[in-house]
Amino acid sequence: MTESTVTPGPREIFERVRRHWLENLGGFGSELAEDAVIEVPFAPPGGTRRHEGKDAFLLFAGPEQAAFAQRFALDEVRDVVIHETADPEVIVVEYELAGRVLATGQQASSPFIGVLRVRDGKIVNWREYQNTLAMIEIMGQPRRT
């Protein structure tokens, strides 16, 4: 008898990403395809809106995630709503990240919407919509004008 394995779809991959965030496992690089495209259409002025390739994204995200973890303790990923689409590779995910600003103890949260495309068990495209200026403000950093 042959053992068959089921390739994880976008719901399962999002749940893995969620666990990575909550367990502070350093992001979700292991879930990315080598040619993944990560997009942040609402990046702040001067910010990168598109990262092409896993390595390019990790080069950018590694220092950002390390700095974020020194300033913010993520307590929960809440209010998760997953919307199926006509394309079985794609889901739209609404969620809120909530936690504490370490310097002040202030509770803070921010809503996100992600459009996630998974192929062969790996993220090939993640488009994330967030209020990046509000996140900068929560972290106590001045807004760039």
Side-chain angles (χ1 to χ4, degrees):
M1 181 161 39
T2 340
E3 186 178 316
S4 79
T5 58
V6 176
T7 303
R11 279 179 171 269
E12 293 83 11
I13 295 299
F14 179 77
E15 187 53 40
R16 287 182 188 176
V17 169
R18 184 179 180 186
R19 277 196 311 270
H20 282 289
W21 291 337
L22 290 170
E23 295 169 9
N24 198 19
L25 298 175
F28 56 94
S30 61
E31 306 305 333
L32 294 173
E34 291 301 319
D35 60 349
V37 174
I38 310 298
E39 299 172 277
V40 185
F42 297 147
T48 305
R49 296 179 192 283
R50 183 179 172 95
H51 304 275
E52 295 190 27
K54 175 181 178 175
D55 292 341
F57 175 71
L58 294 178
L59 186 63
F60 163 79
E64 290 283 324
Q65 289 169 345
F68 184 77
Q70 291 177 350
R71 295 188 311 258
F72 191 80
L74 178 64
D75 295 326
E76 61 182 319
V77 180
R78 64 185 182 205
D79 300 331
V80 175
V81 178
I82 298 176
H83 303 276
E84 301 290 337
T85 70
D87 185 335
E89 292 183 341
V90 177
I91 58 173
V92 176
V93 184
E94 299 176 66
Y95 56 97
E96 185 172 56
L97 298 181
R100 293 166 278 111
V101 177
L102 295 174
T104 65
Q106 173 190 1
Q107 295 290 316
S109 63
S110 185
F112 294 78
I113 295 176
V115 181
L116 180 64
R117 178 178 294 278
V118 171
R119 186 174 298 134
D120 299 325
K122 294 288 182 180
I123 297 167
V124 294
N125 184 251
W126 183 301
R127 191 173 319 116
E128 185 172 81
Y129 297 89
Q130 58 176 283
N131 185 340
T132 53
L133 294 178
M135 290 296 290
I136 289 169
E137 217 169 70
I138 287 169
M139 301 306 296
Q141 300 167 321
R143 289 185 178 191
R144 285 190 255 168
T145 53

